[in-house]
Amino acid sequence: MTSSTLDTLKRQALDALSAGRLEEAADLYRRLLAQDGGAADLWNNLGVILSELRRPAEAAAALRTALILRPDYDKPWVGLGSEAYGADRLGEAVRCWTRAIRLDPQQGAGLWFNLGVTRQMRGEAAEAALAFDRAEALMPDDPRVASQRLLCLNYLDLPGERLLAEHRRFDERFGKRLSGRPEGGAGSQPAIPHANRPDPEKRLRIGYLSVEFREHLGAYFLTPLFETASRSRFEIVCYSILPVAHGDAHTARFKAQADGWRDVGHLDDEALAAQIRADGIDILVDLAGHSGLNRLPMLALRPAPVQVTWLGYPNSTGMTSVDYRIVDPVSDPVGPTDTHAAETLVRLPAPFLCFRPPASAPPVVPLPAGATGAVTFGSFNKLSKITDATIALWADVLRRAPDARLLLKDRPLSDPGTAAAMKARFAAAGIDPDRLDLVGFIKDAAGHLAAYNRIDIALDPHPYNGTITTCDTLWMGAPLVTLAGSRHAARVGASLMTAIGLPELVAATPDRYAAIAADLAGDLTRLMRLRMGMRERVRASALCDETRFMRNLETAYRLIWRRWCDDAATGRPA
């Protein structure tokens, strides 16, 4: 085969790959390799295509052949890392991508971002933050990268003032750019005044902007917004960022219960803002913050006269265009925490959320320690929350309760490499790894909840507490020990435990945290009494009182709307 024929085949292969004709591209690369089997770049390209075709074993073989031919070739390591990540071999993915970076330090932002996500999943938040720093430096105009970095910073033990400064930087880069405000300018007045009628007593149109109109967050905390709302006084319009194909039974239920529904994931910021404004939304409530798929930059366009953030993110948005953030006096005590927020904090009577227990939850079983002979502490939180500070906290607990075990559950623990790394971290803290029970992914929801029946006492991570996991833990009968910190993420546990009438399990210091946990482990009678009464305690508490919660929330909506009406009447900036 002549060189010109080879060149033609290469062009055809690239054209087929660019057009998404993967089978054709794979056949062309095989023809090329039949003529030039020593070309590492051709083996790499074939590996990439086979990976897209979901043939992981063949893809890995091609990529490794490329490395045999050229050991200093970075691209096959990128591909091998992607294959490992897709198979939940997170430790291997980190090693491969790190090797690619060492071979070529000028890797693109995408690789750094993926490395950050993977390290965060493995519980390596500090290393993840460094990766996100690099990704952000390479892709400074992408708000998704900036938001992911901010989310990661919440896992670190940083002061609230530092975190607020980081979040304000997001507004400076993305909010001012969209709103047309000059750098350093004050306020965020819309170019066109809102047409909303400033009637303090009218029926309000509440818009909810979220990706969580589904089983995950929606089923737990959003149901009261639909089923318990005062429909004569409030109209509900939902803006779903969730891709339509990813909805579930809860999505359909929310859609049927809403007064208005918009699937908006395909709209750009300007089009989405125009839609919200055209719908006449009075109060727009963002339920995402900097987590997951969010549309925070769009809020800088001021599509609604009053803009609020709540629930989906444990920190300030940093944006001057978001007027209020909904919290409670325990999660955010008056005074210091006000200086941690760009928004005005609206404090509901605690707690700041309402929990709808899962219908699929199995019954609470008697104390697991009675069957195993030893108390089992546990946490089902994401590994990203298990920082070195949390490990030190839990290691102190285990030293004070020398016969106890610790059960951790999170999907990444299905990866042997990630499980081994977690055991090594506890070993470095002086805890025998054999005292750990590590549980990975459980597919069905009922099976996941049943796994809570293996733990006697739940331990809250610090400084980023659990929320959904805490509610599940309590519903399944295990009391939670938590350490109250200085910012919202570190005080959610205190809010929830206070709401169910167990403030004595909230510690003010790490030493007290360990003492409370160890004392509880040493009193099986008290532990059994707490366990068998926990579900009724939770059911009867403010945490599950949907009517109470909605009246408080709707009172807050009415008050902030009246404030806007007063400002509109006097001509003051709203």
Side-chain angles (χ1 to χ4, degrees):
M1 189 178 290
T2 66
S3 60
S4 62
T5 302
L6 285 172
D7 289 341
T8 299
L9 275 178
K10 288 180 181 179
R11 285 195 299 273
Q12 291 174 344
L14 288 172
D15 287 344
L17 178 57
S18 300
R21 302 192 304 273
L22 300 181
E23 291 287 3
E24 179 185 339
D27 289 340
L28 289 167
Y29 274 110
R30 288 192 182 95
R31 288 178 62 188
L32 286 164
L33 286 166
Q35 300 298 319
D36 186 8
D41 59 329
L42 298 181
W43 282 108
N44 177 74
N45 291 354
L46 177 60
V48 170
I49 294 167
L50 291 170
S51 180
E52 289 289 324
L53 288 169
R54 301 193 176 185
R55 300 178 193 168
E58 295 175 63
L63 294 168
R64 294 195 183 281
T65 300
L67 288 173
I68 291 170
L69 294 168
R70 195 197 304 175
D72 62 347
Y73 193 10
D74 62 300
K75 290 183 180 179
W77 287 111
V78 175
L80 288 169
S82 298
E83 279 299 316
Y85 180 85
D88 289 331
R89 301 192 308 275
L90 303 183
E92 183 181 336
V94 168
R95 289 193 297 274
C96 290
W97 287 336
T98 302
R99 182 70 175 270
I101 289 167
R102 286 175 183 161
L103 289 169
D104 182 8
Q106 304 305 314
Q107 293 289 340
L111 183 60
W112 283 102
F113 183 84
N114 292 344
L115 182 61
V117 168
T118 308
R119 282 194 173 278
Q120 184 174 298
M121 291 172 65
R122 281 170 50 86
E124 300 164 350
E127 294 84 354
L130 294 174
F132 290 133
D133 285 346
R134 182 63 176 159
E136 188 177 49
L138 293 169
M139 199 180 293
D141 296 327
D142 191 332
R144 296 169 299 176
V145 175
S147 280
Q148 184 64 44
R149 174 181 173 273
L150 290 172
L151 173 61
C152 183
L153 293 181
N154 286 285
Y155 298 114
L156 306 180
D157 196 6
L158 300 175
E161 294 79 7
R162 159 77 187 282
L163 287 170
L164 176 58
E166 294 282 357
H167 285 73
R168 285 194 184 279
R169 194 164 68 88
F170 180 93
D171 190 33
E172 291 168 2
R173 294 163 58 202
F174 302 106
K176 291 184 174 67
R177 184 179 69 188
L178 267 182
S179 68
R181 283 179 286 144
E183 190 71 22
S188 58
Q189 294 301 304
I192 304 173
H194 292 99
N196 305 62
R197 180 165 51 91
D199 177 356
E201 303 305 326
K202 74 171 188 172
R203 185 185 187 211
L204 293 179
R205 301 200 84 192
I206 309 296
Y208 289 108
L209 176 68
S210 181
V211 72
E212 295 292 359
F213 297 120
R214 52 179 172 153
E215 183 177 5
H216 179 57
L217 185 67
Y220 279 78
F221 303 127
L222 301 186
T223 303
L225 303 181
F226 296 81
E227 296 186 5
T228 320
S230 176
R231 294 306 182 92
S232 64
R233 300 169 61 236
F234 298 91
E235 183 179 357
I236 297 171
V237 181
C238 295
Y239 298 89
S240 177
I241 313 169
L242 186 70
V244 177
H246 292 180
D248 57 23
H250 290 281
T251 307
R253 191 174 304 123
F254 289 144
K255 187 173 184 178
Q257 293 173 331
D259 297 297
W261 183 278
R262 306 282 190 185
D263 291 308
V264 298
H266 63 290
L267 298 180
D268 64 19
D269 288 335
E270 288 78 7
L272 176 54
Q275 180 66 71
I276 294 169
R277 184 181 280 264
D279 289 339
I281 297 301
D282 297 310
I283 300 176
L284 180 64
V285 184
D286 160 65
L287 297 173
H290 287 281
S291 63
L293 296 172
N294 72 72
R295 302 301 295 270
L296 286 181
M298 183 275 301
L299 297 179
L301 295 173
R302 274 282 179 183
V306 179
Q307 300 189 153
V308 178
T309 188
W310 171 58
L311 187 64
Y313 185 68
N315 212 322
S316 172
T317 63
M319 302 190 69
T320 55
S321 58
V322 180
D323 306 296
Y324 302 99
R325 181 161 161 254
I326 296 171
V327 294
D328 70 48
V330 180
S331 70
D332 294 76
V334 175
T337 57
D338 292 283
T339 65
H340 300 167
E343 309 85 1
T344 296
L345 297 184
V346 175
R347 294 176 173 89
L348 304 184
F352 64 94
L353 51 77
C354 189
F355 170 56
R356 169 72 66 93
S360 61
V364 175
V365 303
L367 201 65
T372 64
V375 165
T376 298
F377 295 104
S379 169
F380 284 28
N381 284 277
K382 292 181 180 297
L383 298 190
S384 47
K385 297 183 179 183
I386 304 180
T387 60
D388 289 344
T390 293
I391 288 178
L393 196 62
W394 292 352
D396 193 12
V397 171
L398 291 172
R399 279 190 289 271
R400 298 188 192 206
D403 296 326
R405 302 186 61 77
L406 175 63
L407 186 151
L408 305 178
K409 182 186 178 299
D410 189 22
R411 179 171 186 149
L413 290 172
S414 298
D415 168 37
T418 298
M422 182 58 66
K423 288 189 173 185
R425 292 174 68 192
F426 274 91
I431 300 302
D432 183 350
D434 288 341
R435 296 178 67 186
L436 270 61
D437 297 316
L438 304 181
V439 180
F441 181 60
I442 297 176
K443 186 175 182 179
D444 64 293
H448 167 75
L449 289 168
Y452 281 95
N453 276 329
R454 296 176 58 182
I455 66 175
D456 299 285
I457 304 169
L459 298 178
D460 211 7
H462 185 86
Y464 195 151
N465 298 165
T467 304
I468 288 178
T469 50
T470 296
C471 291
D472 277 342
T473 296
L474 297 172
W475 191 246
M476 292 307 301
L480 176 90
V481 179
T482 187
L483 171 62
S486 61
R487 53 186 171 93
H488 179 92
R491 298 187 61 85
V492 171
S495 175
L496 300 180
M497 295 307 291
T498 300
I500 68 165
L502 288 174
E504 64 270 25
L505 299 185
V506 179
T509 66
D511 182 73
R512 184 60 187 149
Y513 178 103
I516 291 171
D519 289 349
L520 194 55
D523 190 346
L524 296 188
T525 301
R526 180 188 177 206
L527 198 53
M528 174 64 88
R529 189 167 59 249
L530 280 171
R531 182 179 191 85
M532 300 318 294
M534 188 66 72
R535 186 164 286 188
E536 184 53 36
R537 173 190 289 272
V538 172
R539 182 187 286 113
S541 74
L543 181 58
C544 290
D545 191 338
E546 297 182 1
T547 300
R548 170 188 180 274
F549 173 78
M550 281 307 299
R551 296 297 86 82
N552 289 332
L553 180 62
E554 290 173 345
T555 297
Y557 286 162
R558 185 63 63 180
L559 288 172
I560 61 180
W561 175 250
R562 287 172 179 161
R563 184 179 299 175
W564 181 81
C565 291
D566 289 345
D567 290 339
T570 60
R572 291 196 303 269

